[in-house]
Amino acid sequence: MKCKKCGGKAVINMRQHNMGLCKDDFLTWLPEQTQKFIEKYKMFTPDEKILVAVSGGKDSLALWDMLQILGYKADGLYIALGIDEGISYSSESQRLTEEFANARDLKLYVVNIASDYGTDLPTLAKETRRGRDKPCSSCGLIKRHEMNRIARDFGYDVLATGHNLDDEAATLFSNTLQWNGDYLIRQHPVLAERDGLARKVKPLFRFYEREMAAYTLLRGIEYIYDECPFAEGSTSTQYKELLNQLENQHPGAKQHFFTKFLSAKKKGLFAEPTTEIVPELHICPSCGQPTSGHDVCTFCRMMGKSI
Amino acid sequence: MRPFGSYEHKNGKITAMKKTAIIILRNQKHEVKAGSTILSALQKLKILPESIICVRDGELVTEDIILKEGDIIKLVSVISGG
């Protein structure tokens, strides 16, 4: 296959775009497209301070790398959850993230849940009702809480995560299967800042997961290849596989599924948020972060039960 | 000179060996026929090209390349869950 831009040897075929690209053109094209979507969706400007949530995985490291290439002021945040499960998952992903930051002289915050809260994700997974049902749910709650705390405490304008199109399409698929109206309304590449919650953006939301893997490989970025032991067999992985089967038969299906959803929202197919759907936020008396309830927030409740 | 690995002794006779390439996914090796494309090999192995990228000799390659005898293609799984 030939590169659509220069006619050289392609290293990746993006069937949804009917386009193959060589290494050099792909490594130029991807950051250019990222910049295009940052501007189109008004995610942030070069003057703003960005905090990138970095997990040591391919997507977040690729995002951090691209933001540097594009000239943004982006620092990193790694949240150590204490997942070991025989493969030293957290310590290995932390090592890779620190190596990435040190090699590029980037600022990285490391939050250690065990040191800061006296518990870790495996303990929460065993001891709390939320964790027992779904460890990934506790993980998401911890990450959202800590990302917002660090962004607020250190004065960041925006929080950026490495969610790609496959992540977004799988979430949309899940929310549609369950007709989760409130989640459907909130799902967007940009969530505006409100009531103590930092603005959240997903600059990679238009790229397929395999493009992100190709980018990290071509850029020589080492990332944690092992799956999170708690995520093995997760429903999101199953949905991604289902969507890939569809994509195989109909190139562009995943992209259309998500982008047409965004277009439909823009055209008003989904109702505007009401106070019933987006409840008023209050301040948690324990941690000072916004919460939809009048009492302590879900995060503090979960941590309190575990300690 | 006969290329190494292309012939074998069988029942006192020298016969041509099946030309093969190796595809590796998560430490599992699959022997596939050389002379066809990676895509064709993936289809036989029931691996979706959407879920992997292909690496040969450390270089990223597209699935339309024709496998040569002795090729080792490492598939990098791209799906991350959670």
Side-chain angles (χ1 to χ4, degrees):
Chain A
M1 171 171 237
K2 286 186 176 175
C3 172
K4 196 166 185 175
K5 290 190 187 281
C6 72
K9 194 175 152 194
V11 295
I12 185 163
N13 178 17
M14 295 176 281
R15 291 205 300 154
Q16 77 277 25
H17 302 308
N18 195 22
M19 178 169 76
L21 289 178
C22 68
K23 179 182 175 178
D24 289 348
D25 282 320
F26 179 70
L27 290 179
T28 306
W29 178 82
L30 207 76
E32 274 177 5
Q33 290 293 303
T34 305
Q35 176 62 27
K36 190 178 122 186
F37 293 118
I38 288 170
E39 287 172 15
K40 182 177 176 183
Y41 287 85
K42 298 183 173 57
M43 292 187 181
F44 43 75
T45 64
D47 302 327
E48 291 186 297
K49 268 180 79 184
I50 305 158
L51 183 65
V52 186
V54 198
S55 66
K58 64 183 186 314
D59 304 294
S60 54
L61 288 176
L63 171 62
W64 203 8
D65 183 64
M66 272 198 278
L67 291 179
Q68 301 305 317
I69 289 172
L70 294 168
Y72 288 102
K73 287 174 278 189
D75 298 332
L77 164 65
Y78 177 83
I79 301 171
L81 296 158
I83 302 169
D84 183 291
E85 306 297 303
I87 57 165
S88 305
Y89 183 77
S90 286
S91 51
E92 183 60 8
S93 49
Q94 182 174 341
R95 181 187 71 77
L96 292 166
T97 306
E98 287 176 339
E99 268 186 20
F100 178 94
N102 292 338
R104 291 157 181 81
D105 201 20
L106 301 174
K107 187 174 182 177
L108 174 70
Y109 298 90
V110 176
V111 170
N112 191 307
I113 296 301
S115 320
D116 290 2
Y117 296 98
T119 187
D120 55 24
L121 188 67
T123 309
L124 290 165
K126 281 186 212 131
E127 294 180 1
T128 65
R129 210 166 110 194
R130 172 182 277 267
R132 264 201 306 277
D133 293 344
K134 309 168 202 168
C136 298
S137 162
S138 302
C139 176
L141 175 63
I142 293 170
K143 283 179 178 171
R144 286 191 297 276
H145 187 275
E146 292 304 286
M147 285 187 310
N148 199 62
R149 180 174 69 83
I150 298 295
R152 181 196 64 184
D153 290 356
F154 293 92
Y156 286 90
D157 300 299
V158 59
L159 257 171
T161 58
H163 291 92
N164 56 51
L165 193 136
D166 291 60
D167 296 321
E168 293 304 297
T171 302
L172 177 60
F173 189 65
S174 170
N175 289 336
T176 306
L177 278 184
Q178 299 174 60
W179 288 115
N180 252 328
D182 48 349
Y183 288 155
L184 285 169
I185 282 167
R186 271 185 277 167
Q187 189 176 0
H188 199 267
V190 182
L191 293 177
E193 180 183 358
R194 75 188 260 279
D195 305 332
L197 289 173
R199 185 188 337 148
K200 282 187 199 156
V201 297
K202 299 169 183 174
L204 307 182
F205 81 101
R206 285 295 298 270
F207 304 116
Y208 283 7
E209 199 144 31
R210 69 193 296 275
E211 286 150 27
M212 299 321 302
Y215 180 85
T216 47
L217 195 138
L218 292 171
R219 288 279 297 157
I221 297 169
E222 202 184 346
Y223 65 91
I224 184 116
Y225 183 60
D226 284 319
E227 187 74 27
C228 170
F230 286 124
E232 278 176 20
S234 65
T235 45
S236 68
T237 305
Q238 290 172 28
Y239 292 156
K240 282 182 178 182
E241 285 166 355
L242 274 173
L243 290 166
N244 274 339
Q245 285 175 26
L246 195 64
E247 181 75 20
N248 185 253
Q249 298 298 314
H250 306 282
K254 286 187 293 193
Q255 179 180 275
H256 290 151
F257 180 50
F258 189 63
T259 55
K260 298 287 178 192
F261 160 71
L262 292 181
S263 307
K265 273 179 81 165
K266 205 174 173 184
K267 287 175 187 164
L269 186 69
F270 295 88
E272 284 298 311
T274 67
T275 48
E276 268 177 46
I277 292 170
V278 183
E280 198 182 325
L281 296 177
H282 309 275
I283 297 297
C284 168
S286 172
C287 69
Q289 289 224 52
T291 171
S292 54
H294 289 271
D295 203 353
V296 291
C297 68
T298 321
F299 175 85
C300 292
R301 240 185 0 255
M302 178 174 77
M303 289 305 188
K305 274 183 187 164
S306 165
I307 298 161
Chain B
M1 192 180 167
R2 286 171 186 153
F4 177 78
S6 295
Y7 295 82
E8 65 179 347
H9 289 275
K10 209 173 186 180
N11 301 328
K13 291 178 185 171
I14 296 173
T15 51
M17 277 176 75
K18 198 169 75 175
K19 292 183 176 180
T20 60
I22 302 287
I23 287 187
I24 305 173
L25 176 61
R26 291 201 183 270
N27 297 325
Q28 274 209 316
K29 286 184 184 178
H30 304 275
E31 202 176 67
V32 295
K33 207 173 85 180
S36 57
T37 62
I38 295 180
L39 186 62
S40 155
L42 293 177
Q43 282 165 347
K44 283 187 182 124
L45 295 169
K46 296 189 170 20
I47 296 169
L48 283 173
E50 282 72 22
S51 65
I52 49 100
I53 50 173
C54 311
V55 178
R56 184 178 62 184
D57 299 330
E59 301 280 327
L60 196 60
V61 291
T62 50
E63 300 81 41
D64 64 334
I65 67 155
I66 293 175
L67 290 163
K68 289 182 290 189
E69 183 184 5
D71 265 355
I72 297 174
I73 307 291
K74 193 181 165 201
L75 304 181
V76 179
S77 174
V78 302
I79 295 183
S80 55

